[in-house]
Amino acid sequence: MRPSPPLFAMLVLAAARPWCEPHPDAAATCVDLQLQTCSDASYNQTTFPTLLEHRSRVAVESSSEYILLSVLHHLLEGQCNPDLRLLGCAVLVPRCEGGRVRRPCRHVCEALRDACQPAFDAIDMAWPYFLDCGHYFVGQEEGCYNPLEKLRGGLDIVEEAPPSGYPPTFLRFTHHSYAQMVRVLKQTAARCTHIAKTYSIGRSFDGRELLVIEFSSLPGQHELMEPEVKLIGNIHGNEVAGREMLIYLAQYLCSEYLLGSARIQRLLNTTRIHLLPSMNPDGYEVAAAEGAGYNGWTSGRQNAQSLDLNRNFPDLTSEYYRLASARSTRSGHIAIPQHYWWGKVAPETKAVMKWMRTIPFVLSASLHGGDLVVSYPFDFSKHPEEEKMFSPTPDETMFKLLAKAYADVHPMMMDRSENRCGGNFLKRGSIINGADWYSFTGGMSDFNYLHSNCFEITVELGCVKFPPEEALYTIWQHNKEPLLNFVEMPQMVTTGDCCPQGPTSSSLKPLATPRSSRKSPSLPG
């Protein structure tokens, strides 16, 4: 929805009006930076007049440039946040040090402009004139600074060493804040540089990096016939056990590889594994504020836009049912309908879809909380009016095999007590077709399968969504072997070790065939 006419006119003016030449870098009087929007900038003093000739804080706050900077976050639906805001602050309230103005770096502006241009194109908006990289930014030879340098504030601080007498492989079974999670993942990658690296797939609506750690014999490279596997936690911010399990798994894989574990070395030499511990770090912050042990079903579940990320993916299942009713044999690489982009699409959802387009994943698991069961597609009923209806994919046999690979080695999922968490799934072997449990549309698992042929299961790790710290060690012990068994499945399917009769023709092809040549339709933004 466009802003109201008067506001829209101001935004157009701020985005497109001709620039004024910036004043030369002369002596300046530094004053405290008191602009709320720029309170997290990497400096605390500015000067007036500014590069845009605003002569006071009041003049800045009433300017069209400031108004645009304040609403860009929402216009772009969280894309490029907070990078754009900090870049704008560097121009609106320039950095002042020792009586001199310091200019932001041109290369930082140019890189961000290139990265954010698709987001501006998606709303038919020009790059704002006051962020013109050639006029308000300078080269490194002129002593520029990086206005985005504080984005990682505190994230590179070294984690304290293990307690005296404990080995470096020691795991702390504790809840990790966002900063702690990032530090642990980066330190783990630093310990195992030859098999691990971290990378970001984008940012959350509130600007937190969606950080992934990958493990393989050649980090950063896709190898022919090497299966690509991803594990995702914390898609619902208040379901935190999966987040912690993936943080522990990253440390475990690194340590066991260094200790010479034949199993882990074989796994990482034959499979490329990507771990995204938190897909919804903003929601986690809301849930964590309630405290560990809180088992609320709504607080922190959604992202900062109040969107349920596991209902935010394109509904391709309805299209599949339509094609099936027309006797079409197509069940993979279904295109994203254009009308999907007319609604609210979270930046976290876009980031994961782009990630899937970039890497040819064949296997995936999403870790949740609230019950104890493994579900698999389809999650949306073939008769939408039915809330519960068995709705299998053409690869039902393979999906059951993958679900059982997790459930069959999980001690609590195999526990025979009907009073245990998830007792109503006991007779099913603790696995279930998603739509036969409850039907919903816009789920990540259905989208993975129908858009990119990636087989994704959903693992409910327990009935307590935010377990207390004292329960984390036990949860890890219950899930360590299932996680390893699951990520080993691509190689087991290929060799036939997974199946008493050997792999079927339908099970061999999806998990063993490289998809590096496959192409998906481009995604806006």
Side-chain angles (χ1 to χ4, degrees), residues 200-246:
S200 173
I201 63 170
R203 291 186 182 275
S204 69
F205 188 79
D206 280 345
R208 296 180 176 88
E209 280 192 0
L210 304 178
L211 194 67
V212 175
I213 184 168
E214 73 158 272
F215 292 89
S216 77
S217 55
L218 289 173
Q221 299 183 42
H222 172 70
E223 297 181 77
L224 190 65
M225 296 302 295
E226 179 184 56
E228 302 270 6
V229 178
K230 61 181 167 70
L231 302 177
I232 298 176
N234 208 200
I235 187 172
H236 291 140
N238 61 338
E239 298 172 10
V240 307
R243 171 193 178 104
E244 300 304 333
M245 293 306 105
L246 296 187

mmCIF file of all heavy atoms in Angstrom, residues 200-246:
data_model
loop_
_atom_site.group_PDB
_atom_site.id
_atom_site.type_symbol
_atom_site.label_atom_id
_atom_site.label_comp_id
_atom_site.label_asym_id
_atom_site.label_seq_id
_atom_site.Cartn_x
_atom_site.Cartn_y
_atom_site.Cartn_z
ATOM 1 N N SER A 200 26.190 -15.700 5.858
ATOM 2 C CA SER A 200 24.855 -15.170 6.124
ATOM 3 C C SER A 200 23.994 -15.318 4.878
ATOM 4 O O SER A 200 24.455 -15.068 3.768
ATOM 5 C CB SER A 200 24.946 -13.695 6.526
ATOM 6 O OG SER A 200 23.651 -13.121 6.631
ATOM 7 N N ILE A 201 22.730 -15.716 5.071
ATOM 8 C CA ILE A 201 21.809 -15.807 3.935
ATOM 9 C C ILE A 201 20.902 -14.582 3.856
ATOM 10 O O ILE A 201 20.054 -14.496 2.971
ATOM 11 C CB ILE A 201 20.951 -17.091 3.993
ATOM 12 C CG1 ILE A 201 20.054 -17.099 5.243
ATOM 13 C CG2 ILE A 201 21.826 -18.328 3.922
ATOM 14 C CD1 ILE A 201 19.015 -18.216 5.222
ATOM 15 N N GLY A 202 21.082 -13.625 4.767
ATOM 16 C CA GLY A 202 20.245 -12.428 4.776
ATOM 17 C C GLY A 202 20.063 -11.929 6.192
ATOM 18 O O GLY A 202 20.786 -12.339 7.102
ATOM 19 N N ARG A 203 19.091 -11.049 6.365
ATOM 20 C CA ARG A 203 18.820 -10.490 7.687
ATOM 21 C C ARG A 203 17.344 -10.646 8.040
ATOM 22 O O ARG A 203 16.491 -10.705 7.165
ATOM 23 C CB ARG A 203 19.200 -9.003 7.734
ATOM 24 C CG ARG A 203 20.697 -8.747 7.663
ATOM 25 C CD ARG A 203 20.996 -7.264 7.866
ATOM 26 N NE ARG A 203 22.415 -6.991 7.754
ATOM 27 C CZ ARG A 203 23.275 -7.114 8.763
ATOM 28 N NH1 ARG A 203 22.831 -7.488 9.955
ATOM 29 N NH2 ARG A 203 24.551 -6.853 8.593
ATOM 30 N N SER A 204 17.091 -10.660 9.326
ATOM 31 C CA SER A 204 15.718 -10.679 9.825
ATOM 32 C C SER A 204 15.107 -9.296 9.648
ATOM 33 O O SER A 204 15.785 -8.330 9.266
ATOM 34 C CB SER A 204 15.710 -11.069 11.307
ATOM 35 O OG SER A 204 16.292 -10.025 12.092
ATOM 36 N N PHE A 205 13.828 -9.173 9.956
ATOM 37 C CA PHE A 205 13.147 -7.886 9.821
ATOM 38 C C PHE A 205 13.794 -6.819 10.698
ATOM 39 O O PHE A 205 13.884 -5.659 10.310
ATOM 40 C CB PHE A 205 11.662 -8.030 10.195
ATOM 41 C CG PHE A 205 10.844 -6.805 9.904
ATOM 42 C CD1 PHE A 205 10.418 -6.528 8.620
ATOM 43 C CD2 PHE A 205 10.507 -5.920 10.920
ATOM 44 C CE1 PHE A 205 9.662 -5.380 8.340
ATOM 45 C CE2 PHE A 205 9.751 -4.783 10.660
ATOM 46 C CZ PHE A 205 9.331 -4.510 9.363
ATOM 47 N N ASP A 206 14.275 -7.200 11.880
ATOM 48 C CA ASP A 206 14.925 -6.252 12.777
ATOM 49 C C ASP A 206 16.427 -6.159 12.543
ATOM 50 O O ASP A 206 17.151 -5.533 13.337
ATOM 51 C CB ASP A 206 14.655 -6.621 14.243
ATOM 52 C CG ASP A 206 13.280 -6.161 14.710
ATOM 53 O OD1 ASP A 206 12.674 -5.324 14.007
ATOM 54 O OD2 ASP A 206 12.798 -6.652 15.749
ATOM 55 N N GLY A 207 16.917 -6.794 11.467
ATOM 56 C CA GLY A 207 18.302 -6.593 11.062
ATOM 57 C C GLY A 207 19.311 -7.585 11.578
ATOM 58 O O GLY A 207 20.517 -7.391 11.388
ATOM 59 N N ARG A 208 18.891 -8.666 12.201
ATOM 60 C CA ARG A 208 19.846 -9.669 12.674
ATOM 61 C C ARG A 208 20.221 -10.616 11.535
ATOM 62 O O ARG A 208 19.360 -11.053 10.780
ATOM 63 C CB ARG A 208 19.263 -10.451 13.860
ATOM 64 C CG ARG A 208 19.002 -9.595 15.079
ATOM 65 C CD ARG A 208 18.423 -10.405 16.238
ATOM 66 N NE ARG A 208 18.260 -9.587 17.433
ATOM 67 C CZ ARG A 208 17.189 -8.868 17.724
ATOM 68 N NH1 ARG A 208 16.140 -8.892 16.897
ATOM 69 N NH2 ARG A 208 17.133 -8.139 18.827
ATOM 70 N N GLU A 209 21.498 -10.940 11.453
ATOM 71 C CA GLU A 209 21.954 -11.845 10.401
ATOM 72 C C GLU A 209 21.380 -13.246 10.609
ATOM 73 O O GLU A 209 21.323 -13.754 11.732
ATOM 74 C CB GLU A 209 23.481 -11.931 10.375
ATOM 75 C CG GLU A 209 24.137 -10.778 9.676
ATOM 76 C CD GLU A 209 25.618 -11.042 9.408
ATOM 77 O OE1 GLU A 209 26.111 -12.121 9.763
ATOM 78 O OE2 GLU A 209 26.287 -10.150 8.843
ATOM 79 N N LEU A 210 20.973 -13.871 9.501
ATOM 80 C CA LEU A 210 20.565 -15.272 9.523
ATOM 81 C C LEU A 210 21.817 -16.069 9.203
ATOM 82 O O LEU A 210 22.158 -16.315 8.047
ATOM 83 C CB LEU A 210 19.458 -15.507 8.494
ATOM 84 C CG LEU A 210 18.214 -14.620 8.662
ATOM 85 C CD1 LEU A 210 17.199 -14.910 7.561
ATOM 86 C CD2 LEU A 210 17.577 -14.807 10.033
ATOM 87 N N LEU A 211 22.514 -16.461 10.251
ATOM 88 C CA LEU A 211 23.854 -17.037 10.116
ATOM 89 C C LEU A 211 23.802 -18.551 9.983
ATOM 90 O O LEU A 211 23.139 -19.235 10.765
ATOM 91 C CB LEU A 211 24.718 -16.650 11.309
ATOM 92 C CG LEU A 211 26.222 -16.890 11.141
ATOM 93 C CD1 LEU A 211 26.800 -15.957 10.079
ATOM 94 C CD2 LEU A 211 26.949 -16.700 12.468
ATOM 95 N N VAL A 212 24.533 -19.054 8.987
ATOM 96 C CA VAL A 212 24.625 -20.486 8.712
ATOM 97 C C VAL A 212 26.068 -20.928 8.941
ATOM 98 O O VAL A 212 27.007 -20.184 8.642
ATOM 99 C CB VAL A 212 24.232 -20.798 7.251
ATOM 100 C CG1 VAL A 212 24.453 -22.273 6.913
ATOM 101 C CG2 VAL A 212 22.785 -20.405 6.994
ATOM 102 N N ILE A 213 26.255 -22.122 9.481
ATOM 103 C CA ILE A 213 27.572 -22.742 9.498
ATOM 104 C C ILE A 213 27.492 -24.002 8.651
ATOM 105 O O ILE A 213 26.533 -24.768 8.758
ATOM 106 C CB ILE A 213 28.056 -23.058 10.930
ATOM 107 C CG1 ILE A 213 29.484 -23.624 10.891
ATOM 108 C CG2 ILE A 213 27.112 -23.993 11.679
ATOM 109 C CD1 ILE A 213 30.157 -23.687 12.263
ATOM 110 N N GLU A 214 28.440 -24.167 7.757
ATOM 111 C CA GLU A 214 28.447 -25.339 6.882
ATOM 112 C C GLU A 214 29.674 -26.206 7.163
ATOM 113 O O GLU A 214 30.713 -25.714 7.610
ATOM 114 C CB GLU A 214 28.429 -24.947 5.406
ATOM 115 C CG GLU A 214 29.729 -24.377 4.891
ATOM 116 C CD GLU A 214 29.873 -24.492 3.378
ATOM 117 O OE1 GLU A 214 30.372 -25.535 2.909
ATOM 118 O OE2 GLU A 214 29.516 -23.523 2.683
ATOM 119 N N PHE A 215 29.529 -27.493 6.903
ATOM 120 C CA PHE A 215 30.611 -28.448 7.073
ATOM 121 C C PHE A 215 30.744 -29.274 5.803
ATOM 122 O O PHE A 215 29.749 -29.819 5.299
ATOM 123 C CB PHE A 215 30.333 -29.384 8.260
ATOM 124 C CG PHE A 215 30.359 -28.711 9.598
ATOM 125 C CD1 PHE A 215 29.210 -28.137 10.125
ATOM 126 C CD2 PHE A 215 31.523 -28.642 10.346
ATOM 127 C CE1 PHE A 215 29.222 -27.511 11.355
ATOM 128 C CE2 PHE A 215 31.553 -28.020 11.584
ATOM 129 C CZ PHE A 215 30.398 -27.454 12.086
ATOM 130 N N SER A 216 31.955 -29.384 5.292
ATOM 131 C CA SER A 216 32.238 -30.260 4.152
ATOM 132 C C SER A 216 33.742 -30.337 3.962
ATOM 133 O O SER A 216 34.499 -29.588 4.596
ATOM 134 C CB SER A 216 31.562 -29.750 2.870
ATOM 135 O OG SER A 216 32.272 -28.662 2.333
ATOM 136 N N SER A 217 34.174 -31.214 3.085
ATOM 137 C CA SER A 217 35.607 -31.344 2.822
ATOM 138 C C SER A 217 36.142 -30.131 2.073
ATOM 139 O O SER A 217 37.333 -29.828 2.138
ATOM 140 C CB SER A 217 35.890 -32.615 2.018
ATOM 141 O OG SER A 217 35.117 -32.629 0.828
ATOM 142 N N LEU A 218 35.267 -29.426 1.358
ATOM 143 C CA LEU A 218 35.633 -28.198 0.647
ATOM 144 C C LEU A 218 34.595 -27.126 0.967
ATOM 145 O O LEU A 218 33.671 -26.899 0.191
ATOM 146 C CB LEU A 218 35.704 -28.435 -0.869
ATOM 147 C CG LEU A 218 36.873 -29.264 -1.385
ATOM 148 C CD1 LEU A 218 36.707 -29.543 -2.881
ATOM 149 C CD2 LEU A 218 38.201 -28.542 -1.131
ATOM 150 N N PRO A 219 34.714 -26.479 2.132
ATOM 151 C CA PRO A 219 33.700 -25.489 2.525
ATOM 152 C C PRO A 219 33.535 -24.404 1.462
ATOM 153 O O PRO A 219 34.513 -23.905 0.905
ATOM 154 C CB PRO A 219 34.281 -24.897 3.819
ATOM 155 C CG PRO A 219 35.211 -25.937 4.343
ATOM 156 C CD PRO A 219 35.788 -26.599 3.132
ATOM 157 N N GLY A 220 32.278 -24.089 1.174
ATOM 158 C CA GLY A 220 31.991 -23.046 0.206
ATOM 159 C C GLY A 220 31.858 -23.522 -1.222
ATOM 160 O O GLY A 220 31.566 -22.726 -2.113
ATOM 161 N N GLN A 221 32.047 -24.815 -1.459
ATOM 162 C CA GLN A 221 31.995 -25.329 -2.824
ATOM 163 C C GLN A 221 31.024 -26.491 -2.930
ATOM 164 O O GLN A 221 31.018 -27.384 -2.083
ATOM 165 C CB GLN A 221 33.380 -25.804 -3.283
ATOM 166 C CG GLN A 221 34.439 -24.720 -3.313
ATOM 167 C CD GLN A 221 35.763 -25.248 -3.834
ATOM 168 O OE1 GLN A 221 35.815 -26.015 -4.795
ATOM 169 N NE2 GLN A 221 36.843 -24.833 -3.196
ATOM 170 N N HIS A 222 30.227 -26.476 -3.994
ATOM 171 C CA HIS A 222 29.379 -27.626 -4.302
ATOM 172 C C HIS A 222 30.177 -28.592 -5.163
ATOM 173 O O HIS A 222 30.763 -28.200 -6.167
ATOM 174 C CB HIS A 222 28.118 -27.195 -5.039
ATOM 175 C CG HIS A 222 27.309 -28.359 -5.548
ATOM 176 N ND1 HIS A 222 26.627 -29.203 -4.694
ATOM 177 C CD2 HIS A 222 27.107 -28.834 -6.806
ATOM 178 C CE1 HIS A 222 26.017 -30.137 -5.405
ATOM 179 N NE2 HIS A 222 26.298 -29.934 -6.687
ATOM 180 N N GLU A 223 30.216 -29.858 -4.757
ATOM 181 C CA GLU A 223 30.948 -30.870 -5.514
ATOM 182 C C GLU A 223 29.952 -31.812 -6.196
ATOM 183 O O GLU A 223 28.915 -32.161 -5.633
ATOM 184 C CB GLU A 223 31.861 -31.672 -4.591
ATOM 185 C CG GLU A 223 32.947 -30.838 -3.930
ATOM 186 C CD GLU A 223 33.836 -31.689 -3.041
ATOM 187 O OE1 GLU A 223 34.700 -32.417 -3.573
ATOM 188 O OE2 GLU A 223 33.649 -31.649 -1.808
ATOM 189 N N LEU A 224 30.278 -32.195 -7.399
ATOM 190 C CA LEU A 224 29.427 -33.102 -8.155
ATOM 191 C C LEU A 224 29.182 -34.389 -7.364
ATOM 192 O O LEU A 224 30.114 -34.993 -6.831
ATOM 193 C CB LEU A 224 30.080 -33.427 -9.499
ATOM 194 C CG LEU A 224 29.213 -34.185 -10.507
ATOM 195 C CD1 LEU A 224 28.023 -33.343 -10.941
ATOM 196 C CD2 LEU A 224 30.044 -34.600 -11.718
ATOM 197 N N MET A 225 27.921 -34.788 -7.264
ATOM 198 C CA MET A 225 27.483 -36.003 -6.584
ATOM 199 C C MET A 225 27.597 -35.930 -5.059
ATOM 200 O O MET A 225 27.366 -36.907 -4.373
ATOM 201 C CB MET A 225 28.231 -37.238 -7.093
ATOM 202 C CG MET A 225 27.961 -37.560 -8.546
ATOM 203 S SD MET A 225 26.209 -37.843 -8.917
ATOM 204 C CE MET A 225 25.857 -39.318 -7.971
ATOM 205 N N GLU A 226 27.966 -34.752 -4.514
ATOM 206 C CA GLU A 226 27.987 -34.601 -3.061
ATOM 207 C C GLU A 226 26.640 -34.047 -2.613
ATOM 208 O O GLU A 226 26.268 -32.934 -2.982
ATOM 209 C CB GLU A 226 29.099 -33.646 -2.627
ATOM 210 C CG GLU A 226 29.148 -33.449 -1.105
ATOM 211 C CD GLU A 226 30.196 -32.436 -0.694
ATOM 212 O OE1 GLU A 226 30.146 -31.282 -1.185
ATOM 213 O OE2 GLU A 226 31.062 -32.787 0.125
ATOM 214 N N PRO A 227 25.853 -34.797 -1.843
ATOM 215 C CA PRO A 227 24.540 -34.315 -1.417
ATOM 216 C C PRO A 227 24.651 -33.072 -0.534
ATOM 217 O O PRO A 227 25.549 -32.970 0.292
ATOM 218 C CB PRO A 227 23.938 -35.495 -0.651
ATOM 219 C CG PRO A 227 24.932 -36.574 -0.656
ATOM 220 C CD PRO A 227 26.171 -36.122 -1.319
ATOM 221 N N GLU A 228 23.706 -32.171 -0.717
ATOM 222 C CA GLU A 228 23.613 -30.956 0.089
ATOM 223 C C GLU A 228 22.437 -31.114 1.056
ATOM 224 O O GLU A 228 21.306 -31.372 0.639
ATOM 225 C CB GLU A 228 23.365 -29.739 -0.807
ATOM 226 C CG GLU A 228 24.425 -29.515 -1.875
ATOM 227 C CD GLU A 228 25.557 -28.625 -1.403
ATOM 228 O OE1 GLU A 228 25.573 -28.265 -0.198
ATOM 229 O OE2 GLU A 228 26.423 -28.277 -2.227
ATOM 230 N N VAL A 229 22.714 -30.959 2.342
ATOM 231 C CA VAL A 229 21.711 -31.170 3.383
ATOM 232 C C VAL A 229 21.638 -29.924 4.262
ATOM 233 O O VAL A 229 22.669 -29.329 4.587
ATOM 234 C CB VAL A 229 22.061 -32.401 4.248
ATOM 235 C CG1 VAL A 229 21.036 -32.598 5.357
ATOM 236 C CG2 VAL A 229 22.172 -33.650 3.388
ATOM 237 N N LYS A 230 20.428 -29.524 4.643
ATOM 238 C CA LYS A 230 20.287 -28.385 5.558
ATOM 239 C C LYS A 230 19.391 -28.760 6.736
ATOM 240 O O LYS A 230 18.448 -29.545 6.603
ATOM 241 C CB LYS A 230 19.730 -27.155 4.840
ATOM 242 C CG LYS A 230 18.347 -27.294 4.209
ATOM 243 C CD LYS A 230 17.964 -25.992 3.508
ATOM 244 C CE LYS A 230 16.762 -26.156 2.600
ATOM 245 N NZ LYS A 230 15.503 -26.358 3.284
ATOM 246 N N LEU A 231 19.707 -28.182 7.877
ATOM 247 C CA LEU A 231 18.900 -28.314 9.085
ATOM 248 C C LEU A 231 18.579 -26.909 9.569
ATOM 249 O O LEU A 231 19.472 -26.065 9.691
ATOM 250 C CB LEU A 231 19.647 -29.088 10.172
ATOM 251 C CG LEU A 231 20.116 -30.504 9.825
ATOM 252 C CD1 LEU A 231 20.904 -31.105 10.987
ATOM 253 C CD2 LEU A 231 18.939 -31.403 9.475
ATOM 254 N N ILE A 232 17.300 -26.638 9.864
ATOM 255 C CA ILE A 232 16.845 -25.306 10.238
ATOM 256 C C ILE A 232 16.144 -25.371 11.594
ATOM 257 O O ILE A 232 15.268 -26.212 11.811
ATOM 258 C CB ILE A 232 15.881 -24.736 9.185
ATOM 259 C CG1 ILE A 232 16.594 -24.583 7.833
ATOM 260 C CG2 ILE A 232 15.304 -23.392 9.633
ATOM 261 C CD1 ILE A 232 15.683 -24.115 6.716
ATOM 262 N N GLY A 233 16.522 -24.474 12.479
ATOM 263 C CA GLY A 233 15.880 -24.402 13.788
ATOM 264 C C GLY A 233 15.200 -23.073 14.008
ATOM 265 O O GLY A 233 15.440 -22.095 13.288
ATOM 266 N N ASN A 234 14.305 -23.014 15.009
ATOM 267 C CA ASN A 234 13.781 -21.747 15.517
ATOM 268 C C ASN A 234 12.998 -20.948 14.474
ATOM 269 O O ASN A 234 12.980 -19.727 14.515
ATOM 270 C CB ASN A 234 14.972 -20.923 16.043
ATOM 271 C CG ASN A 234 14.621 -19.949 17.150
ATOM 272 O OD1 ASN A 234 15.356 -19.002 17.387
ATOM 273 N ND2 ASN A 234 13.508 -20.150 17.835
ATOM 274 N N ILE A 235 12.295 -21.628 13.548
ATOM 275 C CA ILE A 235 11.430 -20.907 12.604
ATOM 276 C C ILE A 235 10.298 -20.231 13.368
ATOM 277 O O ILE A 235 9.822 -19.178 12.986
ATOM 278 C CB ILE A 235 10.888 -21.847 11.497
ATOM 279 C CG1 ILE A 235 10.129 -21.042 10.425
ATOM 280 C CG2 ILE A 235 10.010 -22.938 12.069
ATOM 281 C CD1 ILE A 235 9.735 -21.875 9.213
ATOM 282 N N HIS A 236 9.878 -20.865 14.458
ATOM 283 C CA HIS A 236 8.995 -20.219 15.433
ATOM 284 C C HIS A 236 9.888 -19.785 16.592
ATOM 285 O O HIS A 236 10.542 -20.619 17.228
ATOM 286 C CB HIS A 236 7.905 -21.181 15.900
ATOM 287 C CG HIS A 236 6.905 -21.498 14.822
ATOM 288 N ND1 HIS A 236 6.387 -22.762 14.640
ATOM 289 C CD2 HIS A 236 6.347 -20.720 13.864
ATOM 290 C CE1 HIS A 236 5.543 -22.732 13.610
ATOM 291 N NE2 HIS A 236 5.498 -21.511 13.133
ATOM 292 N N GLY A 237 9.909 -18.483 16.864
ATOM 293 C CA GLY A 237 10.878 -17.946 17.807
ATOM 294 C C GLY A 237 10.781 -18.499 19.209
ATOM 295 O O GLY A 237 11.773 -18.504 19.948
ATOM 296 N N ASN A 238 9.607 -18.978 19.603
ATOM 297 C CA ASN A 238 9.440 -19.505 20.960
ATOM 298 C C ASN A 238 9.690 -21.000 21.052
ATOM 299 O O ASN A 238 9.527 -21.597 22.121
ATOM 300 C CB ASN A 238 8.032 -19.184 21.488
ATOM 301 C CG ASN A 238 6.934 -19.809 20.636
ATOM 302 O OD1 ASN A 238 7.141 -20.126 19.463
ATOM 303 N ND2 ASN A 238 5.759 -19.991 21.222
ATOM 304 N N GLU A 239 10.089 -21.629 19.957
ATOM 305 C CA GLU A 239 10.419 -23.060 19.955
ATOM 306 C C GLU A 239 11.933 -23.166 19.821
ATOM 307 O O GLU A 239 12.489 -23.132 18.722
ATOM 308 C CB GLU A 239 9.682 -23.767 18.822
ATOM 309 C CG GLU A 239 8.165 -23.686 18.992
ATOM 310 C CD GLU A 239 7.371 -24.202 17.803
ATOM 311 O OE1 GLU A 239 7.969 -24.816 16.890
ATOM 312 O OE2 GLU A 239 6.146 -23.966 17.773
ATOM 313 N N VAL A 240 12.600 -23.282 20.960
ATOM 314 C CA VAL A 240 14.033 -22.986 21.009
ATOM 315 C C VAL A 240 14.927 -24.214 21.101
ATOM 316 O O VAL A 240 16.151 -24.090 20.944
ATOM 317 C CB VAL A 240 14.340 -22.049 22.198
ATOM 318 C CG1 VAL A 240 13.450 -20.820 22.134
ATOM 319 C CG2 VAL A 240 14.155 -22.755 23.533
ATOM 320 N N ALA A 241 14.382 -25.394 21.364
ATOM 321 C CA ALA A 241 15.238 -26.569 21.520
ATOM 322 C C ALA A 241 16.029 -26.841 20.240
ATOM 323 O O ALA A 241 17.214 -27.175 20.289
ATOM 324 C CB ALA A 241 14.406 -27.789 21.909
ATOM 325 N N GLY A 242 15.386 -26.690 19.081
ATOM 326 C CA GLY A 242 16.078 -26.937 17.816
ATOM 327 C C GLY A 242 17.233 -25.993 17.605
ATOM 328 O O GLY A 242 18.280 -26.377 17.071
ATOM 329 N N ARG A 243 17.067 -24.746 18.017
ATOM 330 C CA ARG A 243 18.146 -23.756 17.941
ATOM 331 C C ARG A 243 19.372 -24.259 18.701
ATOM 332 O O ARG A 243 20.500 -24.265 18.178
ATOM 333 C CB ARG A 243 17.625 -22.445 18.527
ATOM 334 C CG ARG A 243 18.636 -21.335 18.750
ATOM 335 C CD ARG A 243 17.990 -20.255 19.614
ATOM 336 N NE ARG A 243 18.872 -19.151 19.949
ATOM 337 C CZ ARG A 243 18.822 -17.945 19.389
ATOM 338 N NH1 ARG A 243 17.936 -17.706 18.457
ATOM 339 N NH2 ARG A 243 19.642 -16.980 19.762
ATOM 340 N N GLU A 244 19.140 -24.697 19.944
ATOM 341 C CA GLU A 244 20.264 -25.168 20.760
ATOM 342 C C GLU A 244 20.859 -26.470 20.219
ATOM 343 O O GLU A 244 22.075 -26.652 20.232
ATOM 344 C CB GLU A 244 19.824 -25.345 22.212
ATOM 345 C CG GLU A 244 19.314 -24.076 22.870
ATOM 346 C CD GLU A 244 20.324 -22.932 22.824
ATOM 347 O OE1 GLU A 244 21.545 -23.198 22.770
ATOM 348 O OE2 GLU A 244 19.889 -21.766 22.827
ATOM 349 N N MET A 245 20.009 -27.374 19.721
ATOM 350 C CA MET A 245 20.531 -28.641 19.195
ATOM 351 C C MET A 245 21.489 -28.397 18.029
ATOM 352 O O MET A 245 22.510 -29.077 17.900
ATOM 353 C CB MET A 245 19.377 -29.541 18.732
ATOM 354 C CG MET A 245 18.460 -30.054 19.835
ATOM 355 S SD MET A 245 19.305 -30.897 21.198
ATOM 356 C CE MET A 245 19.211 -29.621 22.477
ATOM 357 N N LEU A 246 21.181 -27.429 17.182
ATOM 358 C CA LEU A 246 22.046 -27.171 16.026
ATOM 359 C C LEU A 246 23.331 -26.459 16.437
ATOM 360 O O LEU A 246 24.378 -26.668 15.821
ATOM 361 C CB LEU A 246 21.287 -26.376 14.971
ATOM 362 C CG LEU A 246 20.086 -27.100 14.349
ATOM 363 C CD1 LEU A 246 19.501 -26.287 13.203
ATOM 364 C CD2 LEU A 246 20.466 -28.499 13.857
#
